[in-house]
Amino acid sequence: VLRVLGTKAAFCTLLIDVFKGFIAVSIAQGKFNNLGAMLAFAAVVIGHIYPIVFKFRGGKGVATFFGTMAALSLHLFLVLILCTVVIAVIIKSLTIGFYSSLPLITFLNYVETRSFIILIIFILIVSLVSVVGVKDIEQAFEKYFRTPVKKRPTVKKKPAR
């Protein structure tokens, strides 16, 4: 959205995606238990990545993931932001920061909920978000971890006499 429509449209889209995830999971938490909230989490992220309206061509699910995390657990949301920012500052890549934070968030989610079913759902969604973002991850690694190849000095051949 940023490249096509500009900064304002990208920011509005970001806010809508975050709030979409937050509202869906908040409603599910109010009406159901933790499992219901996790199912809403899965539904909203999958629905964002594969929307029926857009012929199953959606976004990466990162902003929606952040919104769902804010609704699921404020502690985990803050840890996710902190880890993402710290890694991003060190590595100089927000993409690598986010995707590198996911294993820790998955583990902490299990510690917080102590539910194997919720853990499985969480792992599936984290895996889906990671698989969808593979090209972004590859580009980030290529950009920030590429080692410059030293060119060998070329030897000029002397012209034959």
Side-chain angles (χ1 to χ4, degrees):
V1 175
L2 178 63
R3 282 178 248 150
V4 177
L5 300 176
T7 308
K8 289 180 184 178
F11 185 71
C12 289
T13 303
L14 174 74
L15 287 178
I16 290 168
D17 289 347
V18 169
F19 282 115
K20 173 176 51 180
F22 182 81
I23 290 168
V25 173
S26 295
I27 290 170
Q29 276 182 326
K31 295 197 179 264
F32 306 106
N33 56 8
N34 283 344
L35 181 58
M38 284 305 292
L39 291 174
F41 164 67
V44 74
V45 172
I46 292 169
H48 179 82
I49 295 171
Y50 300 110
I52 296 170
V53 176
F54 298 126
K55 298 180 182 176
F56 301 101
R57 299 184 73 203
K60 304 271 191 282
V62 174
T64 306
F65 187 89
F66 271 99
T68 57
M69 289 306 301
L72 282 174
S73 169
L74 188 57
H75 303 104
L76 290 179
F77 175 68
L78 295 175
V79 169
L80 176 62
I81 289 177
L82 181 66
C83 285
T84 299
V85 169
V86 167
I87 295 170
V89 166
I90 293 169
I91 303 294
K92 295 182 178 78
S93 170
L94 198 56
T95 301
I96 295 171
F98 170 71
Y99 289 106
S100 298
S101 302
L102 293 179
L104 176 64
I105 296 304
T106 303
F107 172 73
L108 292 176
N109 183 50
Y110 177 71
V111 168
E112 191 172 277
T113 61
R114 299 284 185 186
S115 170
F116 188 70
I117 294 171
I118 290 176
L119 175 65
I120 295 299
I121 295 169
F122 201 84
I123 288 173
L124 289 173
I125 297 304
V126 164
S127 299
L128 175 64
V129 169
S130 298
V131 166
V132 169
V134 163
K135 286 185 181 178
D136 290 342
I137 297 167
E138 287 174 348
Q139 287 175 350
F141 268 88
E142 193 175 296
K143 183 177 180 182
Y144 295 101
F145 292 113
R146 175 181 39 196
T147 54
V149 178
K150 291 182 181 177
K151 293 184 179 180
R152 287 189 270 162
T154 56
V155 178
K156 294 183 181 180
K157 292 185 179 181
K158 293 181 182 178
R161 291 183 194 189

